[in-house]
Amino acid sequence: MGDRRVSHWWTAGGLLILVWALFPLLWMVSLSFKDPNTFRSESPTFFPKQWVWTNYKTVFSDSLFTSALRNSIIVALVATLLSVIIAMFAAYAIARMDFPGKKFLLSMALAIAMFPQAALVGPLFNMWRNLGIYDTLLGLIIPYLTFALPLSIWTMSAFFRQIPWEMEQAAQVDGATAWQAFRKVIVPLAAPGLFTTAILTFFFCWNEFLLAISLTSTDRARTVPAALSFFTGASQFQSPITAIMAASVVVTIPVVILVLIFQRRIMAGLTAGAVKG
């Protein structure tokens, strides 16, 4: 009886946390369907009295948002692909090989991941202007890659450590080269780790704001999180709040769907290596 009562308390607590976490998202969706001309003049209601698509039409007719959405997709995909490829080889070397400074290298990777981005904005701003890559997609991909690599290496090295060393040795005994054993045996077995790393890296690049707002100045390379701060309504007489909410829904809902679909793989990647069998 006591265990059942405790389980009920845990269920109630979980539902409370779920409601607390979902409330901002539901409020954002609700605002995105409210009429921008009247939503402030009416008495406040959680759900709109009249559901309209005006805000979404405004968003997709604005070149600021469409160009930012394109930039976000390009930057996030390129940074994710490069991060996964580089981290795959680095994590394999850390997990499989013994070389001087291996623990120091992994510790430095974690130190970089914890280093505050705000401290690097000023130096990066000056460097990028001198190098001619300020306000370019390359100028965003490089720092995104720098901050995404430590987490990618840490996650993937845990997966590589779980793969039995004997499987790679057996492939080499059968005549496979070291590269063939790595490509045909190790990489397929580490696919869940690669997938998890790709998802986490993509989320980081997709949601990053500080570097995106500091290292861009025009629509040429500005990503969605930065572009939303410059977003306006359909005219100067309309409040931009509902349009901003519509744009936020467009870029948030796909991420939420990905998390719900691949939550088990994400958790597997975060907890890999936590228990030694």
Side-chain angles (χ1 to χ4, degrees):
M1 187 68 179
D3 293 340
R4 183 178 299 178
R5 183 177 299 177
V6 171
S7 65
H8 288 337
W9 278 109
W10 278 109
T11 301
L15 291 175
L16 182 61
I17 294 174
L18 181 63
V19 172
W20 179 270
L22 287 179
F23 181 80
L25 179 62
L26 295 176
W27 181 245
M28 181 174 67
V29 174
S30 175
L31 281 175
S32 69
F33 285 102
K34 290 186 177 182
D35 191 337
N37 296 314
T38 61
F39 88 102
R40 280 189 170 180
S41 60
E42 299 175 347
S43 58
T45 57
F46 185 83
F47 295 105
K49 296 180 179 178
Q50 181 180 3
W51 297 72
V52 297
W53 291 91
T54 306
N55 301 303
Y56 290 93
K57 294 178 182 178
T58 300
V59 164
F60 284 104
S61 63
D62 194 320
S63 60
L64 171 63
F65 178 77
T66 53
S67 63
L69 187 62
R70 182 187 65 249
N71 294 336
S72 287
I73 294 174
I74 295 173
V75 170
L77 289 179
V78 173
T80 299
L81 179 62
L82 293 176
S83 177
V84 170
I85 293 175
I86 297 172
M88 179 177 62
F89 292 108
Y92 175 81
I94 291 174
R96 292 301 197 197
M97 301 178 183
D98 290 326
F99 55 89
K102 182 172 72 171
K103 292 184 179 180
F104 175 76
L105 181 63
L106 195 57
S107 300
M108 287 301 299
L110 288 177
I112 294 174
M114 293 184 291
F115 200 81
Q117 294 182 2
L120 297 178
V121 169
L124 281 176
F125 178 83
N126 292 327
M127 287 177 59
W128 270 209
R129 288 182 66 89
N130 293 332
L131 293 174
I133 58 175
Y134 175 76
D135 197 26
T136 63
L137 297 180
L138 179 62
L140 288 179
I141 292 173
I142 294 176
Y144 282 11
L145 184 62
T146 302
F147 283 100
L149 272 176
L151 178 61
S152 301
I153 293 173
W154 182 266
T155 303
M156 296 176 72
S157 61
F159 269 90
F160 282 126
R161 282 195 296 267
Q162 289 184 328
I163 299 174
W165 179 251
E166 292 77 12
M167 299 186 69
E168 187 175 3
Q169 291 178 326
Q172 294 179 354
V173 169
D174 291 338
T177 63
W179 168 247
Q180 289 174 334
F182 173 78
R183 182 168 55 90
K184 296 183 178 181
V185 177
I186 300 300
V187 172
L189 291 175
L194 298 176
F195 191 81
T196 300
T197 302
I199 293 176
L200 295 176
T201 304
F202 182 84
F203 288 168
F204 164 77
C205 298
W206 186 262
N207 297 322
E208 203 284 325
F209 174 78
L210 180 60
L211 295 175
I213 197 70
S214 303
L215 301 180
T216 59
S217 59
T218 65
D219 300 345
R220 184 175 63 173
R222 188 175 287 142
T223 57
V224 169
L228 288 180
S229 62
F230 296 93
F231 208 76
T232 59
S235 68
Q236 60 179 337
F237 304 104
Q238 283 187 358
S239 172
I241 294 177
T242 54
I244 292 175
M245 293 299 103
S248 300
V249 169
V250 171
V251 298
T252 301
I253 295 301
V255 175
V256 174
I257 293 175
L258 285 176
V259 171
L260 294 177
I261 294 175
F262 302 114
Q263 58 179 329
R264 292 191 177 183
R265 296 199 178 191
I266 295 174
M267 291 304 300
L270 293 176
T271 58
V275 179
K276 297 181 67 175

